Amino acid sequence: MTRWEPNARGRLEEAALELFGERGFEQTTVEDIAKRAGLTKRTFFRYFGDKREVLFAGGEEFQGLFVTGLASAPASAKPMEAVAVTLEAVSAWFRGRHDRARQRQRIIVANAELQERELVKLASVAAVLAGALRDRGVAEPAASVTAETAIALFRNAFERWVAEDGERELADVVRESLDTLRAVTATG
Amino acid sequence: MTRWEPNARGRLEEAALELFGERGFEQTTVEDIAKRAGLTKRTFFRYFGDKREVLFAGGEEFQGLFVTGLASAPASAKPMEAVAVTLEAVSAWFRGRHDRARQRQRIIVANAELQERELVKLASVAAVLAGALRDRGVAEPAASVTAETAIALFRNAFERWVAEDGERELADVVRESLDTLRAVTATG
């Protein structure tokens, strides 16, 4: 018999982030996480395949933010304008989540394996975004150049945002990165 | 007693690339590589720490190409102009190496662990390039935005180049990526 536990998923996430931060990712076991959350290992495995998944479970949702964000850009928008709309939408999701993002980032940066996983995640988002741009009629190489630049910009803005105190919204930092790109690429 | 083997390093590299391509990276052992090269395991370990290193041994040299490439740009060059000079210099290194690059890329793409390693390599080049731009007096966020965009562009051009038949030089494809970026970011 399984007892229903209110907000088990959220409690496990919170416990995992706390423990990864305190002891390090390697040094934390699934048992530790379940215990801190006041739940069983069995409950943990109902929500996550392993402890790494606690940090990456939102990957598909994250990727989806880019696709739906791009879909919300007017059909007439040029590639980089469409990307600006996309990044705006993705950034909106992070509103009110600065502390959590900062906590997660600190854990990722401290562990080479997690950093690799994060880079792979972003590379696959870039590939999906390039495909979505092609579907909008953007030709190659514009689609892949735009998508990979967009992800580079997002990564840049995100890293700067989590390093800040959270006074600015991610959207503001993204806009700054985009404006900077426009300034440095402008010729003449 | 160690017998001197002419061009042992090159022979090991060639044997490794052949075998990784034929059997897959996972399925190839150091023993296989040494045997194919007509050398001993002991000789292999004089040059490489493990089989993965055969694919990534040039990492520091690769990173150095970006640093010396950037140093060759005139002090008056704007960030993205300096990056264009840098990528031109890096691309020159790949002249006459299309087959090898293509062979290596095929191996990397077929293996998740190698892909991760490659992404980490590029991310660390981006960090070094951002530092080199700051040393030239480029302020943040322009330095990191420029560096990360440069690496995204290089990666994009490189992937397109190795997918081609080798008629164009990498430098041509890089220039096309850069022009595309300029076109998609231009406003008005």
Side-chain angles (χ1 to χ4, degrees), chain A residues 40-61:
Chain A
T40 62
K41 265 175 78 171
R42 201 185 150 139
T43 304
F44 178 94
F45 287 118
R46 220 180 308 139
Y47 294 96
F48 304 103
D50 57 28
K51 63 178 178 172
R52 202 177 67 163
E53 219 188 291
V54 182
L55 296 166
F56 292 98
E60 275 183 39
E61 188 186 359

Side-chain angles (χ1 to χ4, degrees), chain A residues 78 80 116 120 144 156 184-185, chain B residues 80 116 120 144 156 184-185:
Chain A
K78 290 186 194 168
M80 203 51 91
E116 289 176 4
V120 169
S144 58
N156 175 271
V184 295
T185 48
Chain B
M80 202 53 88
E116 288 176 4
V120 169
S144 59
N156 174 271
V184 295
T185 48

Side-chain angles (χ1 to χ4, degrees), chain A residues 142-182:
Chain A
S144 58
V145 166
T146 305
E148 291 181 36
T149 304
I151 297 305
L153 281 179
F154 181 80
R155 201 177 142 234
N156 175 271
F158 192 82
E159 283 177 8
R160 296 195 295 117
W161 180 61
V162 291
E164 290 182 0
D165 58 7
E167 280 225 351
R168 288 201 293 176
E169 294 289 354
L170 176 55
D172 299 326
V173 189
V174 163
R175 234 172 278 126
E176 187 181 65
S177 288
L178 249 168
D179 289 345
T180 302
L181 177 68
R182 288 206 180 96

Side-chain angles (χ1 to χ4, degrees), chain B residues 11-30:
Chain B
R11 282 158 63 192
L12 288 163
E13 270 173 4
E14 198 166 325
L17 284 176
E18 275 175 25
L19 288 165
F20 293 161
E22 289 165 23
R23 305 180 187 176
F25 177 77
E26 286 291 351
Q27 288 74 42
T28 301
T29 66
V30 166

Side-chain angles (χ1 to χ4, degrees), chain B:
Chain B
M1 273 238 329
T2 310
R3 200 154 61 94
W4 181 77
E5 295 283 357
N7 189 25
R9 189 189 185 91
R11 282 158 63 192
L12 288 163
E13 270 173 4
E14 198 166 325
L17 284 176
E18 275 175 25
L19 288 165
F20 293 161
E22 289 165 23
R23 305 180 187 176
F25 177 77
E26 286 291 351
Q27 288 74 42
T28 301
T29 66
V30 166
E31 196 149 13
D32 297 336
I33 297 167
K35 204 177 158 191
R36 170 77 60 105
L39 298 165
T40 62
K41 267 174 78 171
R42 197 183 153 142
T43 303
F44 179 94
F45 287 118
R46 221 178 308 137
Y47 294 96
F48 304 104
D50 57 28
K51 63 177 179 174
R52 201 177 69 163
E53 218 187 293
V54 183
L55 295 166
F56 292 98
E60 274 183 41
E61 188 187 358
F62 179 70
Q63 189 166 296
L65 291 174
F66 284 82
V67 176
T68 55
L70 183 65
S72 74
S76 61
K78 290 186 195 167
M80 202 53 88
E81 289 165 8
V83 155
V85 172
T86 306
L87 296 184
E88 197 80 40
V90 175
S91 301
W93 188 87
F94 286 93
R95 203 170 290 145
R97 289 177 163 146
H98 183 266
D99 282 351
R100 175 65 67 101
R102 190 184 169 93
Q103 199 180 3
R104 179 180 177 280
Q105 186 76 357
R106 209 178 286 150
I107 294 159
I108 304 252
V109 165
N111 183 290
E113 186 205 323
L114 298 176
Q115 274 178 279
E116 288 176 4
R117 185 72 197 72
E118 184 82 342
L119 288 170
V120 169
K121 187 182 90 175
L122 290 170
S124 79
V125 173
V128 166
L129 189 59
L133 282 163
R134 283 191 296 270
D135 290 345
R136 283 174 72 91
V138 179
E140 282 298 346
S144 59
V145 166
T146 305
E148 290 181 37
T149 304
I151 297 305
L153 281 179
F154 181 80
R155 203 179 140 231
N156 174 271
F158 192 83
E159 282 177 9
R160 296 194 296 116
W161 181 61
V162 291
E164 290 182 0
D165 58 9
E167 280 223 350
R168 289 202 292 177
E169 294 290 354
L170 176 55
D172 299 327
V173 189
V174 163
R175 233 172 280 125
E176 187 181 66
S177 287
L178 249 168
D179 289 344
T180 303
L181 178 70
R182 287 204 182 97
V184 295
T185 48
T187 44

Side-chain angles (χ1 to χ4, degrees), chain A:
Chain A
M1 275 240 330
T2 310
R3 200 154 59 93
W4 180 78
E5 296 284 359
N7 189 25
R9 189 188 185 92
R11 282 158 62 193
L12 287 163
E13 271 173 3
E14 198 167 325
L17 284 175
E18 276 176 25
L19 287 165
F20 294 161
E22 289 165 24
R23 305 180 187 175
F25 177 76
E26 286 291 350
Q27 288 72 45
T28 301
T29 67
V30 166
E31 195 149 12
D32 296 336
I33 297 167
K35 204 176 159 193
R36 171 77 59 104
L39 297 165
T40 62
K41 265 175 78 171
R42 201 185 150 139
T43 304
F44 178 94
F45 287 118
R46 220 180 308 139
Y47 294 96
F48 304 103
D50 57 28
K51 63 178 178 172
R52 202 177 67 163
E53 219 188 291
V54 182
L55 296 166
F56 292 98
E60 275 183 39
E61 188 186 359
F62 179 70
Q63 189 167 297
L65 291 174
F66 284 82
V67 175
T68 54
L70 183 64
S72 74
S76 61
K78 290 186 194 168
M80 203 51 91
E81 288 164 8
V83 155
V85 173
T86 306
L87 296 185
E88 197 80 40
V90 175
S91 301
W93 188 87
F94 287 93
R95 203 171 292 144
R97 289 176 163 146
H98 183 266
D99 283 351
R100 174 66 66 102
R102 190 185 170 94
Q103 200 180 2
R104 180 180 177 279
Q105 186 77 358
R106 207 179 287 150
I107 294 159
I108 304 250
V109 165
N111 182 291
E113 186 205 324
L114 298 176
Q115 274 178 278
E116 289 176 4
R117 185 72 196 73
E118 184 82 341
L119 288 170
V120 169
K121 187 182 90 176
L122 290 170
S124 79
V125 174
V128 166
L129 189 59
L133 283 162
R134 284 192 296 269
D135 290 345
R136 284 173 71 92
V138 179
E140 281 298 346
S144 58
V145 166
T146 305
E148 291 181 36
T149 304
I151 297 305
L153 281 179
F154 181 80
R155 201 177 142 234
N156 175 271
F158 192 82
E159 283 177 8
R160 296 195 295 117
W161 180 61
V162 291
E164 290 182 0
D165 58 7
E167 280 225 351
R168 288 201 293 176
E169 294 289 354
L170 176 55
D172 299 326
V173 189
V174 163
R175 234 172 278 126
E176 187 181 65
S177 288
L178 249 168
D179 289 345
T180 302
L181 177 68
R182 288 206 180 96
V184 295
T185 48
T187 44

